[in-house]
């Protein structure tokens, strides 16, 4: 036909959208500003993910992720994966119920569940302070500490009062019946003593009293411990 263009004269107008079907409706596939395809609810069952940055993977399954660096974004419901290398940064409120985490360094695990952790390279630290404790004429025990999972622990005692005090370490397997592990030790007025338990049981506590009947004093007691 005269004066009728069969082909588009402007190639820019020839761009086409790509559609996919969700089973009932044809929908256009979405991309980001860099023309990268946005994938949601995917299952990646093999292969390698390398340098995934600022991504949000909100569904599906990641299996056998190897040597990847995931520098940002959100991973939700990672199931039975082995993450053998790369970097995990700021994993928050996650449940990792299977698979292997190897060499996780300088991470903050703020929530969720860790199952079958075989070793933690940095030991935890525990401190319990009881300050301005007034002594009496009979031995009185501080609240017991559960020492079952602690490696090294000791009691630091400072006598801040004008009179001498005595202190002893007691241990128990049931929290009811107590055995004297370190006998009464005198802590002179203005001085410090450190009592280190010599035997291991589930519970440990410190008992204290005035060294002289009717001559009360005040002590500060610090329990310091390292995890195993």
């Amino acid at each position: 036909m005269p004066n009728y263009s069969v082909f588009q004269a402007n190639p820019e107008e020839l761009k086409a959208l790509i559609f996919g079907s969700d089973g009932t409706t044809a929908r256009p596939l979405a991309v980001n500003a860099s023309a990268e395809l946005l994938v949601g609810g995917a299952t990646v069952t093999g292969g390698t993910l390398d340098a995934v940055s600022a991504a949000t993977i909100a569904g599906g399954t990641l299996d056998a992720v190897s040597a990847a660096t995931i520098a940002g974004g959100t991973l939700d419901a990672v199931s039975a994966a082995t993450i053998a290398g790369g970097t995990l940064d700021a994993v928050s409120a996650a449940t990792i119920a299977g698979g292997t985490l190897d060499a996780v360094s300088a991470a903050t695990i703020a929530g969720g569940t860790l199952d079958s952790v075989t070793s933690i390279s940095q030991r935890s630290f525990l401190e319990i302070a009881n300050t301005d404790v007034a002594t009496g004429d009979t031995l009185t025990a501080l609240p017991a500490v559960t020492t079952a999972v602690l490696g090294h622990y000791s009691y630091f005692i400072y006598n801040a009062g004008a009179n001498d005090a005595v202190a002893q370490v007691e241990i128990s397997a049931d929290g009811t019946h107590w055995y004297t592990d370190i006998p009464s030790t005198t802590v002179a007025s203005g001085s410090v003593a450190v009592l280190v338990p010599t035997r291991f049981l589930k519970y440990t506590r410190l008992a204290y009293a005035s060294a002289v009947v009717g001559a009360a004093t005040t002590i500060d007691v610090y329990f310091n411990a390292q995890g195993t």
Side-chain angles (χ1 to χ4, degrees):
M1 295 181 183
N3 301 320
Y4 187 82
S5 296
V6 176
F7 297 102
Q8 177 59 256
N10 186 358
E12 288 294 319
E13 300 296 330
L14 295 176
K15 293 179 180 178
L17 291 176
I18 300 176
F19 286 77
S21 174
D22 61 6
T24 56
T25 305
R27 303 184 184 280
L29 301 184
V31 299
N32 61 18
S34 300
E36 296 169 327
L37 186 63
L38 300 178
V39 179
T43 298
V44 182
T45 57
T48 301
L49 290 178
D50 185 18
V52 179
S53 178
T56 298
I57 304 176
T61 302
L62 289 176
D63 184 16
V65 179
S66 176
T69 298
I70 303 174
T74 301
L75 289 176
D76 185 16
V78 179
S79 175
T82 297
I83 304 176
T87 302
L88 287 176
D89 186 17
V91 178
S92 178
T95 297
I96 304 175
T100 301
L101 288 176
D102 185 18
V104 178
S105 177
T108 298
I109 304 175
T113 302
L114 287 176
D115 186 17
S116 298
V117 178
T118 56
S119 64
I120 299 176
S121 61
Q122 184 174 344
R123 293 181 177 179
S124 59
F125 175 75
L126 171 66
E127 180 175 84
I128 301 174
N130 291 274
T131 59
D132 297 325
V133 178
T135 63
D137 294 339
T138 58
L139 281 170
T140 303
L142 291 173
V145 179
T146 301
T147 49
V149 297
L150 300 176
H152 303 282
Y153 43 91
S154 58
Y155 285 94
F156 173 94
I157 306 155
Y158 169 62
N159 187 344
N163 301 305
D164 294 349
V166 293
Q168 66 183 36
V169 174
E170 301 173 348
I171 57 176
S172 173
D174 58 9
T176 301
H177 302 90
W178 294 89
Y179 175 85
T180 300
D181 181 55
I182 299 179
S184 292
T185 301
T186 299
V187 185
S189 172
S191 69
V192 167
V194 177
L195 302 185
V196 182
T198 59
R199 298 172 180 84
F200 171 81
L201 282 177
K202 184 177 181 180
Y203 302 103
T204 305
R205 70 184 186 183
L206 184 88
Y208 60 91
S210 303
V212 177
V213 174
T217 189
T218 301
I219 61 174
D220 296 334
V221 180
Y222 294 86
F223 175 84
N224 280 188
Q226 277 188 330
T228 55

